[in-house]
């Protein structure tokens, strides 16, 4: 059984996936910005899976040279992973005219280009090792334009497109690529997101319930092992995944109605 490499592995969906994979016997390479959170995550996992080997790397995935060095070190120590999950991400909602160009660039640097670097570095050694499974974490914001997500949604739209292409292009190397579209999930990122989310955006995005990261991680891992191109947990995400284009006119009307109500309050 080969290792699992996970960005954003110190909390949220990434940590939940790391825990589940470690319990099944996978050694781990975990990547996240905060060294103390990585250490805490490592200790928590070792309590449940004491036999696994865990390498940790305090790195910002938006820093391509640093991420490349970390991945190459992990490859040298653990070999090519069987499971590679890009879970690192940021979400800072706000209205377009109030958000800086730097904030837009930061979302793309972390959510898209951090994932891109991760996959580019790992796909060749994974192919040489006989294949594997790649998991990308997108969002319901990748299905249609949502008011207040001008910086965030484009990065998740981009991930959706990348994942669909990789599912086709990496197949001949026996590498599957799965994109998951989680509903609101009880993670530190969601708490941070709520700090700047406009009231209308909150109303627009409610309705999918609040999922636990363990449930999302389990569905992602199962989808990766089954070779599915996408996983859309819950009725709302499943409907958007299958019927997003057809529903777009209705969703635009719904948003405009909510925006108008909030702007007149």
């Amino acid at each position: 059984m080969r290792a699992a490499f996970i960005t954003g592995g110190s909390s949220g969906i990434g940590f939940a996936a790391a825990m589940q994979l470690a319990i099944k016997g996978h050694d781990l390479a975990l990547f996240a910005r905060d060294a103390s959170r990585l250490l805490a995550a490592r200790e928590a996992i070792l309590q449940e899976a004491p036999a696994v080997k865990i390498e940790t790397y305090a790195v910002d995935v938006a820093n391509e040279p640093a991420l490349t060095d970390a991945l190459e070190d992990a490859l040298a120590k653990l070999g090519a992973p069987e499971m590679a999950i890009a879970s690192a991400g940021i979400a800072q909602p706000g209205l377009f005219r109030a958000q800086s160009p730097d904030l837009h660039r930061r979302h793309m640097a972390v959510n898209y280009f951090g994932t891109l670097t991760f996959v580019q570095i790992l796909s060749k050694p994974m192919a040489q090792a006989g294949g594997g499974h790649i998991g990308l974490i997108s969002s319901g914001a990748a299905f249609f334009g949502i008011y207040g997500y001008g910086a965030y949604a484009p990065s998740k739209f981009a991930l959706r497109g990348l994942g669909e292409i990789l599912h086709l292009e990496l197949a001949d190397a026996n590498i599957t690529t799965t994109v998951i579209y989680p509903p609101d999930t009880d993670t530190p990122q969601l708490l941070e997101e709520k700090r700047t989310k406009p009231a209308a955006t909150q109303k627009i995005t409610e309705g999918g319930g609040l999922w636990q990261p363990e449930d999302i991680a389990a569905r992602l891992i199962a989808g990766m092992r089954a070779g599915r191109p996408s996983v859309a947990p819950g009725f709302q995400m499943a409907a958007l995944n299958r019927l997003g284009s057809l529903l777009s006119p209705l969703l635009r009307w719904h948003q405009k109605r909510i925006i108008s109500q909030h702007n007149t309050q």
Side-chain angles (χ1 to χ4, degrees), residues 19 26 41 45 105 166 171 185 214 222 240:
M19 178 68 79
H26 291 273
I45 293 168
R105 294 188 187 98
L166 293 178
T185 306
E214 294 79 11
L240 288 170

Side-chain angles (χ1 to χ4, degrees), residues 146-230:
I146 300 176
Y147 179 89
Y149 279 145
Y152 173 71
S155 66
K156 295 300 186 175
F157 267 85
L159 271 184
R160 179 185 177 189
L162 178 65
E164 291 181 1
I165 291 166
L166 293 178
H167 187 80
L168 299 172
E169 291 198 11
L170 299 182
D172 64 352
N174 199 33
I175 297 173
T176 66
T177 304
T178 301
V179 183
I180 192 168
Y181 302 93
D184 278 351
T185 306
D186 189 11
T187 66
Q189 179 175 294
L190 182 64
L191 291 175
E192 186 65 27
E193 183 179 334
K194 288 182 176 180
R195 295 178 189 274
T196 61
K197 184 180 284 189
T201 308
Q202 181 65 45
K203 183 68 176 178
I204 290 165
T205 56
E206 67 184 19
L210 183 64
W211 287 61
Q212 293 305 305
E214 294 79 11
D215 296 327
I216 297 299
R219 292 193 179 216
L220 172 60
I221 291 167
M224 291 169 67
R225 292 199 185 282
R228 297 183 193 131
S230 65

Side-chain angles (χ1 to χ4, degrees), residues 33-51:
R33 286 180 295 172
D34 191 309
S36 62
R37 287 186 179 181
L38 275 169
L39 180 60
R42 182 179 186 276
E43 293 304 314
I45 293 168
L46 286 174
Q47 288 182 8
E48 301 298 326

Side-chain angles (χ1 to χ4, degrees), residues 60-218:
D60 184 344
V61 298
N63 184 333
E64 183 180 348
L67 178 58
T68 299
D69 288 345
L71 287 167
E72 289 178 347
D73 186 79
L75 286 167
K77 290 177 177 176
L78 298 177
E82 177 184 349
M83 309 288 282
I85 299 175
S87 185
I90 61 169
Q92 188 171 334
L95 300 184
F96 179 79
R97 285 175 289 181
Q99 291 189 313
S100 70
D102 284 344
L103 186 62
H104 284 259
R105 294 188 187 98
R106 177 65 180 165
H107 277 78
M108 289 298 296
V110 174
N111 296 348
Y112 180 73
F113 284 108
T115 297
L116 181 67
T117 300
F118 183 70
V119 175
Q120 284 182 321
I121 297 297
L122 295 182
S123 57
K124 184 175 180 180
M126 288 174 72
Q128 292 172 339
H133 307 284
I134 292 171
L136 310 183
I137 299 181
S138 187
S139 164
F143 293 123
F144 67 104
I146 300 176
Y147 179 89
Y149 279 145
Y152 173 71
S155 66
K156 295 300 186 175
F157 267 85
L159 271 184
R160 179 185 177 189
L162 178 65
E164 291 181 1
I165 291 166
L166 293 178
H167 187 80
L168 299 172
E169 291 198 11
L170 299 182
D172 64 352
N174 199 33
I175 297 173
T176 66
T177 304
T178 301
V179 183
I180 192 168
Y181 302 93
D184 278 351
T185 306
D186 189 11
T187 66
Q189 179 175 294
L190 182 64
L191 291 175
E192 186 65 27
E193 183 179 334
K194 288 182 176 180
R195 295 178 189 274
T196 61
K197 184 180 284 189
T201 308
Q202 181 65 45
K203 183 68 176 178
I204 290 165
T205 56
E206 67 184 19
L210 183 64
W211 287 61
Q212 293 305 305
E214 294 79 11
D215 296 327
I216 297 299

